[in-house]
């Protein structure tokens, strides 16, 4: 059953966040919506219905990213502007992380339609399927597929702590089967995301908003250290295979 539309004259970002908080609520302020979990799927489906009731055309891509599209009027603008954030959370994550960007984008597009009508350029509100890497040892599965970054990844080899593969979890929720459009996009001109500050700079500087100009880069490695455990006092050094010694030889 479709829910009554959330958006009305009194709708606020906070009211949408409180509604999203009901999907995977883990504490009074926390959420747990791991990629391809039931709570994650229920949240995406609920957003799909709400987008549909808000004059947005909703659709999924084949990895589970959700979009609410407003078609632009100008033929000169063939590319779309993407606005939004991610729906997944870390375990017991704060309800503003990710959800704030989705709610803000949704309300902004609503206001645009009500006050000015259809935009010249197509706009899509995005609820990206994953950013956090909380269930599987992989981050940005949603946006990485949009940009083709994850094209070479074999999703059957990536498993969660219970041994469930990314591929099987995706298939279970109906994605990865070719039922939806492929996620790789070449028709996007911009991506805009409103996000809470997860540090202290704006608060300490008494600022309401900051414009991101750079962001930390990360690389993650899996390191396997091989060696043999022997008694430290009785095993001669020339007969030991300590892990540090193996690393030195390598």
């Amino acid at each position: 059953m479709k829910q009554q539309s959330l958006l009305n004259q009194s709708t606020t970002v906070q009211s949408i966040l409180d509604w999203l908080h009901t999907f995977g609520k883990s504490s009074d302020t926390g959420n747990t919506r791991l990629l391809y979990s039931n709570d994650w799927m229920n949240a995406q489906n609920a957003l799909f219905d709400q987008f549909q009731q808000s004059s947005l055309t909703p659709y999924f891509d084949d990895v589970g990213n959700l979009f609410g599209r407003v078609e632009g009027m100008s033929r000169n603008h063939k590319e779309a502007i993407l606005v939004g954030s991610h729906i997944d959370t870390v375990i017991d994550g704060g309800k503003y992380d990710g959800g704030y960007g989705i709610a803000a984008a949704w309300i902004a597009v609503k206001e645009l339609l009500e006050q000015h009508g259809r935009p010249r350029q197509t706009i899509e509100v995005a609820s990206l399927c994953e950013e956090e890497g909380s269930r599987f040892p992989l981050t940005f599965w949603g946006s990485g597929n949009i940009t083709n970054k994850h094209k070479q990844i074999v999703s059957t080899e990536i498993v969660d702590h219970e041994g469930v593969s990314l591929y099987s979890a995706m298939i279970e929720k109906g994605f990865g089967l070719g039922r939806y459009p492929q996620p790789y996009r070449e028709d996007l001109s911009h991506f805009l995301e409103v996000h809470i500050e997860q540090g202290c700079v704006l608060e300490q500087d008494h600022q309401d908003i900051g414009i991101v100009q750079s962001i930390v880069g990360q690389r993650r490695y899996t390191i396997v250290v091989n060696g043999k455990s022997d008694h430290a006092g009785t095993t001669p050094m020339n007969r030991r295979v300590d892990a540090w010694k193996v690393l030195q030889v390598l």
Side-chain angles (χ1 to χ4, degrees):
M1 179 181 296
K2 290 187 176 181
Q3 304 173 12
Q4 183 178 357
S5 178
L6 286 173
L7 290 185
N8 52 53
Q9 293 298 324
S10 60
T11 300
T12 62
V13 169
Q14 186 65 59
S15 64
I16 294 176
L17 288 171
D18 290 341
W19 172 75
L20 277 176
H21 183 48
T22 64
F23 299 95
K25 181 178 180 180
S26 54
S27 66
D28 288 342
T29 58
N31 277 101
T32 300
R33 285 193 298 267
L34 305 184
L35 177 63
Y36 301 136
S37 66
N38 289 333
D39 288 323
W40 172 94
M41 189 75 252
N42 290 337
Q44 286 289 66
N45 281 332
L47 275 172
F48 183 102
D49 290 342
Q50 291 295 324
F51 285 173
Q52 196 165 40
Q53 296 177 56
S54 305
S55 301
L56 279 67
T57 301
Y59 70 95
F60 286 106
D61 69 18
D62 208 38
V63 296
N65 291 312
L66 172 64
F67 306 94
R69 184 177 176 93
V70 177
E71 203 70 40
M73 295 186 298
S74 174
R75 295 181 180 180
N76 296 326
H77 294 288
K78 297 182 180 180
E79 296 178 318
I81 298 172
L82 198 63
V83 291
S85 194
H86 60 98
I87 193 66
D88 70 311
T89 71
V90 298
I91 295 174
D92 199 28
K95 66 180 180 180
Y96 295 96
D97 186 3
Y100 182 77
I102 296 170
W106 185 13
I107 287 182
V109 171
K110 164 191 175 281
E111 292 295 316
L112 176 67
L113 289 172
E114 290 181 353
Q115 296 184 25
H116 302 285
R118 282 173 54 197
R120 288 194 295 269
Q121 187 170 350
T122 297
I123 300 176
E124 295 190 19
V125 178
S127 176
L128 301 176
C129 68
E130 190 274 337
E131 175 187 284
E132 301 288 3
S134 298
R135 181 177 181 184
F136 300 97
L138 175 72
T139 55
F140 302 106
W141 179 243
S143 59
N145 273 280
I146 291 175
T147 59
N148 219 28
K149 177 179 176 62
H150 293 324
K151 181 179 180 180
Q152 303 301 324
I153 287 179
V154 181
S155 53
T156 55
E157 298 177 357
I158 300 171
V159 298
D160 65 13
H161 71 283
E162 295 180 344
V164 178
S165 73
L166 174 61
Y167 176 76
S168 61
M170 180 169 57
I171 295 297
E172 182 187 358
K173 291 298 184 281
F175 301 108
L177 298 168
R179 297 174 180 171
Y180 303 100
Q182 290 303 303
Y184 178 48
R185 302 282 296 269
E186 294 184 291
D187 64 333
L188 300 176
S189 64
H190 300 82
F191 172 63
L192 304 175
E193 179 180 19
V194 179
H195 203 283
I196 61 165
E197 186 193 28
Q198 293 172 294
C200 60
V201 175
L202 294 180
E203 181 180 7
Q204 292 182 354
D205 289 350
H206 305 290
Q207 299 294 321
D208 293 326
I209 191 170
I211 306 301
V212 176
Q213 296 177 320
S214 61
I215 191 169
V216 65
Q218 296 181 349
R219 289 188 179 183
R220 301 184 182 190
Y221 299 90
T222 299
I223 299 175
V224 178
V225 180
N226 296 307
K228 180 181 178 181
S229 178
D230 282 309
H231 194 284
T234 61
T235 307
M237 291 303 294
N238 63 348
R239 296 185 182 181
R240 296 180 65 151
V241 192
D242 294 331
W244 71 269
K245 193 172 183 180
V246 173
L247 284 177
Q248 277 188 333
V249 173
L250 294 176

